[in-house]
Amino acid sequence: MSTTTPEETAATPDAAIAAARERIDAIDDRIIGLIQERTAVSAVVQQTRISSGGRRVSLSREMEVLGHYREALGKPGTSLAMTLLELCRGRI
């Protein structure tokens, strides 16, 4: 049984590129959806923290997130995490 991907079986390089781009677009849509979900969950955390007398942002938690992304993705992961944190909690 062959384990070739649709990209490998495409008739031309242009078709292979088009198929790969379709996959990338689908992945990007999933990433955007996950970021939107993360933003909504973050809003709940922030509101709960504020209503219980705490601060909107937990810097120690943000450092954990930054470390997690850096470990998983290297130095660019830190920039990605910073952008993600800003999207989810706003600028501080």
Side-chain angles (χ1 to χ4, degrees):
M1 174 184 265
S2 176
T3 58
T4 59
T5 64
E7 293 80 14
E8 294 169 332
T9 58
T12 67
D14 289 341
I17 291 169
R21 286 181 176 162
E22 284 182 27
R23 282 187 67 199
I24 288 171
D25 290 345
I27 291 167
D28 285 344
D29 288 342
R30 289 180 14 223
I31 291 169
I32 290 167
L34 289 170
I35 291 170
Q36 290 169 332
E37 181 180 352
R38 189 188 195 286
T39 300
V41 173
S42 180
V44 171
V45 170
Q46 290 176 55
Q47 187 56 48
T48 303
R49 205 181 285 129
I50 290 168
S51 65
S52 65
R55 294 180 165 196
R56 180 174 63 93
V57 175
S58 169
L59 295 180
S60 62
R61 173 63 180 145
E62 290 199 358
M63 293 306 294
E64 289 176 17
V65 172
L66 290 170
H68 181 68
Y69 275 75
R70 183 177 50 252
E71 287 175 21
L73 303 172
K75 187 177 178 182
T78 303
S79 297
L80 178 60
M82 285 299 296
T83 299
L84 184 60
L85 289 169
E86 186 175 323
L87 281 168
C88 291
R89 53 106 163 106
R91 290 183 177 254
I92 53 171

